[in-house]
């Protein structure tokens, strides 16, 4: 019996995952993702504050020089914490047995993950390359979606507004001028965009090629398994400068310094869509419910990654069946999942294990996962992140 089979047997068909913390040198943590206050700079000031937790991830973080090779990777761990193996290794070993035959045959890897990103202020207006442009540097496109859990947003941060895309009347010449002005100071690219007020328990779809400057709500982000991006905004609020090398991040060497290449990455039709909000905003949509539970789609406008939210009423239980493998994270309450402890922690020390995150293999998802809420007063709330899911509702 290999380690993966041992962990699945110990977990009654599911895998317990350890927290995967990721720092970003260009961000400031808002400290809402339950890491101990003393640990946000545990990796050193040069690496930056920890403002992300990656979930069910088989993708290493692209954080430049000094980044450990396993940063961003999820580890499956034994109940006693003494044995561990990366989720990516288990996928390579168990293949379709773990993620489902269709996904394995199509991608030969687990093709999605989710994250919490938790920034005190806004991120720069940036872009994720489409498949054609990402392939030029050996990567994949990164479609992503945002959802803002109320449980992590008692404090909205400094700027709970997100700029998406470009004003419909924006000209290509205006955008090109802003990009060419990046090294000179504030390139004023946000003057070409539109900001939207963010609301807890709602979400947005962000396709590749769409510019976006995420606001300061703590965000749950299901996405395709990639970490490709380029920053198009040179100066944030309060005079926080963005390094120019990030403008050329994931750019082919042969096109470095070529502003026309930066323009090519932009999907002009989607960025200037006059109905961007109508086509991209997401409210929860109920998939099924009873007196014991409610299951809702919360991220559903992308075929390559999606997410649902399960709420189990106090003292209740439910067997929930899904058509695809997925990761889960508990954000409120305590109970069990297939008989294993499931609880949303109050505070987590860096390097400590938790009982809030699991990976659900395809067979377990199909058979049905049993969630039990052991509280007499508080709901058990679980977010579930999928890759491709045949049950995805029509958009």
């Amino acid at each position: 019996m290999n380690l993966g089979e041992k962990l699945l047997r110990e977990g009654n068909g599911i895998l317990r995952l350890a927290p995967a913390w990721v720092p970003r040198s260009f961000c400031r943590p808002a400290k809402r993702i339950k890491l101990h206050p003393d640990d946000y700079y545990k990796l050193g000031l040069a690496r930056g504050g920890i403002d992300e937790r990656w979930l069910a991830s088989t993708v290493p973080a692209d954080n430049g020089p000094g980044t450990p090779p396993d940063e961003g990777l999820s580890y499956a761990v034994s109940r006693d914490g003494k044995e561990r193996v990366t989720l990516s290794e288990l996928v390579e070993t168990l293949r379709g047995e773990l993620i489902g035959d269709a996904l394995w045959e199509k991608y030969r890897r687990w093709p999605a993950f989710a994250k919490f990103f938790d920034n005190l202020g806004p991120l720069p207006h940036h872009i994720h390359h489409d498949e054609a442009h990402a392939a030029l540097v050996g990567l994949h496109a990164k479609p992503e979606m945002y959802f803002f859990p109320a449980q992590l947003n008692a404090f909205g941060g400094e700027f709970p507004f997100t700029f998406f895309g470009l004003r419909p009347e924006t000209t290509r010449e205006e955008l090109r001028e802003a990009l060419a002005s990046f090294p000179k100071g504030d390139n004023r690219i946000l003057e070409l965009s539109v900001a939207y007020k963010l609301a807890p328990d709602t979400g947005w779809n962000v396709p590749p090629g769409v510019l976006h400057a995420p606001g300061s709500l703590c965000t749950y982000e299901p996405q395709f398994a990639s970490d490709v991006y380029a920053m198009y905004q040179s100066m944030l609020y309060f005079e926080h400068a963005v390094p120019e090398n990030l403008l050329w991040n994931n750019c082919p060497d042969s096109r470095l310094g070529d502003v026309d290449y930066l323009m090519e990455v932009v999907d002009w039709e989607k960025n200037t869509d006059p109905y961007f909000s109508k086509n991209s905003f997401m409210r929860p949509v109920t998939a099924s419910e009873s007196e014991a539970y409610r299951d809702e789609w919360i991220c559903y406008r992308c075929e390559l990654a999606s997410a649902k939210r399960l709420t189990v009423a106090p003292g209740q239980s439910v067997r929930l069946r899904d058509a695809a493998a997925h990761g889960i994270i508990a954000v409120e309450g305590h109970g069990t999942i297939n008989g294993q402890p499931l609880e949303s922690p109050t505070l987590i020390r860096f390097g400590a294990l938790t009982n809030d995150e699991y990976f659900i293999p395809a067979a377990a998802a199909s058979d049905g996962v049993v969630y039990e809420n052991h509280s007499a007063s508080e709901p058990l709330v679980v977010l579930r992140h999928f890759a491709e899911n045949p049950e995805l509702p029509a958009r």
Side-chain angles (χ1 to χ4, degrees):
M1 180 186 303
N2 62 40
L3 181 54
E5 293 169 336
K6 178 182 177 181
L7 294 178
L8 284 169
R9 177 172 294 185
E10 180 184 77
N12 198 16
I14 64 177
L15 296 170
R16 180 192 186 197
L17 300 182
W21 305 108
V22 175
R24 295 294 193 185
S25 61
F26 51 82
C27 297
R28 295 170 296 142
K31 302 181 179 180
R32 295 169 295 195
I33 50 178
K34 304 184 180 182
L35 189 61
H36 190 283
D38 292 345
D39 291 350
Y40 280 93
Y41 290 89
K42 193 75 171 181
L43 299 173
L45 296 179
R47 299 291 324 284
I50 294 171
D51 68 334
E52 298 185 5
R53 178 178 173 183
W54 290 21
L55 310 167
S57 169
T58 59
V59 178
D62 179 12
N63 267 339
T67 304
D70 64 347
E71 188 163 274
L73 297 181
S74 294
Y75 278 84
V77 295
S78 59
R79 180 51 47 197
D80 62 10
K82 295 180 179 180
E83 296 181 285
R84 62 171 54 206
V85 59
T86 63
L87 181 60
S88 57
E89 290 178 81
L90 292 183
V91 172
E92 291 175 5
T93 301
L94 299 175
R95 302 184 175 187
E97 180 184 347
L98 189 64
I99 66 171
D101 290 333
L103 278 181
W104 174 255
E105 291 300 324
K106 183 173 182 178
Y107 294 105
R108 288 293 197 269
R109 66 188 182 114
W110 173 239
F113 74 109
K115 68 169 71 166
F116 290 133
F117 71 79
D118 177 37
N119 301 302
L120 183 61
L123 290 182
H125 217 33
H126 67 281
I127 201 163
H128 300 296
H129 306 65
D130 63 17
E131 191 66 25
H133 291 96
L136 296 177
V137 291
L139 297 173
H140 293 278
K142 186 189 175 188
E144 62 189 26
M145 286 172 287
Y146 300 154
F147 182 76
F148 314 111
Q151 292 83 357
L152 302 178
N153 280 296
F155 165 58
E158 293 175 344
F159 194 82
F161 303 82
T162 289
F163 285 86
F164 286 111
L166 300 165
R167 290 185 284 105
E169 67 273 20
T170 302
T171 66
R172 296 176 188 270
E173 290 73 21
E174 287 175 315
L175 179 59
R176 194 184 191 287
E177 180 181 357
L179 295 175
S181 299
F182 192 103
K184 301 176 184 178
D186 186 356
N187 66 350
R188 301 170 64 176
I189 193 171
L190 292 187
E191 295 177 16
L192 307 178
S193 187
V194 178
Y196 297 83
K197 178 70 168 66
L198 303 179
D201 289 338
T202 65
W204 292 83
N205 180 45
V206 188
V210 172
L211 286 159
H212 53 293
S216 57
L217 286 193
C218 187
T219 304
Y220 169 66
E221 180 186 329
Q223 61 193 258
F224 193 76
S226 180
D227 195 23
V228 61
Y229 68 92
M231 298 294 182
Y232 278 25
Q233 181 183 351
S234 59
M235 192 76 69
L236 287 165
Y237 294 99
F238 313 115
E239 300 300 310
H240 295 295
V242 179
E244 187 180 355
N245 66 294
L246 295 180
L247 174 66
W248 303 103
N249 196 52
N250 297 130
C251 176
D253 290 343
S254 62
R255 303 294 298 273
L256 288 172
D258 185 352
V259 176
D260 289 334
Y261 177 78
L262 301 179
M263 292 291 296
E264 292 170 15
V265 174
V266 177
D267 186 318
W268 198 259
E269 181 179 357
K270 290 179 180 176
N271 276 277
T272 58
D273 180 6
Y275 299 103
F276 184 87
S277 177
K278 178 181 178 181
N279 293 328
S280 303
F281 182 67
M282 295 177 293
R283 297 186 186 277
V285 175
T286 299
S288 61
E289 64 180 330
S290 72
E291 292 183 357
Y293 80 100
R294 175 180 295 146
D295 193 31
E296 301 165 288
W297 287 100
I298 54 175
C299 295
Y300 46 82
R301 289 188 180 273
C302 174
E303 295 179 353
L304 300 180
S306 59
K308 301 177 83 173
R309 177 177 62 182
L310 170 66
T311 303
V312 183
Q316 299 293 323
S317 65
V318 60
R319 177 184 290 273
L320 207 62
R321 292 179 172 84
D322 286 295
H326 55 281
I328 73 104
I329 181 78
V331 293
E332 183 179 357
H334 71 280
T336 60
I337 174 172
N338 271 17
Q340 306 302 303
L342 180 63
E343 56 196 11
S344 181
T346 301
L347 206 60
I348 310 169
R349 293 307 305 240
F350 183 85
L353 299 178
T354 60
N355 290 316
D356 62 344
E357 186 182 359
Y358 289 85
F359 187 83
I360 314 301
S366 178
D367 292 343
V369 176
V370 177
Y371 293 87
E372 296 183 1
N373 185 349
H374 290 178
S375 174
S377 59
E378 184 180 25
L380 175 64
V381 182
V382 178
L383 307 180
R384 314 202 307 288
H385 25 280
F386 301 84
E388 296 179 17
N389 188 332
E391 295 179 330
L392 190 70
R395 292 176 290 169

